[in-house]
């Protein structure tokens, strides 16, 4: 479950990076429509649902090891950013 959550976080982070780049090309590529740029960068057809299901399953399976959910998600996000920065994806 953690792996699937980390993959979905990676998709969201990659979309955020793409959106930061697409904002500079809003007029030329998307005819000034921020909504079109958003849809191009975040293809959330099933990613949103998958993130919700995996997150819910992760919370349900979370054992009492003393680590908070935020810490686990932060570490997964940092790992995904490192993978994107190093071009390993």
């Amino acid at each position: 479950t953690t792996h699937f959550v980390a993959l979905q976080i990676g998709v969201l982070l990659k979309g955020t990076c793409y959106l930061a780049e697409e904002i500079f090309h809003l007029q030329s590529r998307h005819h000034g429509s921020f909504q079109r740029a958003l849809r191009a960068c975040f293809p959330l057809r099933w990613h949103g649902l998958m993130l919700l299901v995996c997150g819910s399953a992760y919370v349900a399976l979370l054992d009492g090891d003393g680590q908070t959910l935020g810490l686990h998600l932060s570490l997964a996000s940092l790992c995904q950013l490192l993978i994107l920065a190093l071009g390993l994806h």
Side-chain angles (χ1 to χ4, degrees), residues 4-5 8-9 12 46-56:
F4 287 123
V5 170
Q8 295 308 308
I9 288 171
L12 292 174
W46 62 274
H47 291 294
L49 178 63
M50 185 69 142
L51 184 62
L52 180 66
V53 169
C54 290
S56 300

Side-chain angles (χ1 to χ4, degrees), residues 34-62:
F34 184 74
Q35 193 73 352
R36 284 185 185 178
L38 199 59
R39 276 187 264 136
C41 296
F42 293 102
L44 293 178
R45 291 179 290 266
W46 62 274
H47 291 294
L49 178 63
M50 185 69 142
L51 184 62
L52 180 66
V53 169
C54 290
S56 300
Y58 184 75
V59 170
L61 296 174
L62 189 64

Side-chain angles (χ1 to χ4, degrees), residues 2 13 17 21 24 26 32 40 43-44 51 56-57 59 62 71:
T2 305
L13 290 172
C17 293
E21 194 271 329
F24 296 108
L26 206 57
L44 293 178
L51 184 62
S56 300
V59 170
L62 189 64
L71 177 65

Side-chain angles (χ1 to χ4, degrees), residues 63-76:
D63 58 345
D65 63 351
Q67 302 296 326
T68 63
L69 178 63
L71 177 65
H72 287 278
L73 292 178
S74 298
L75 289 174

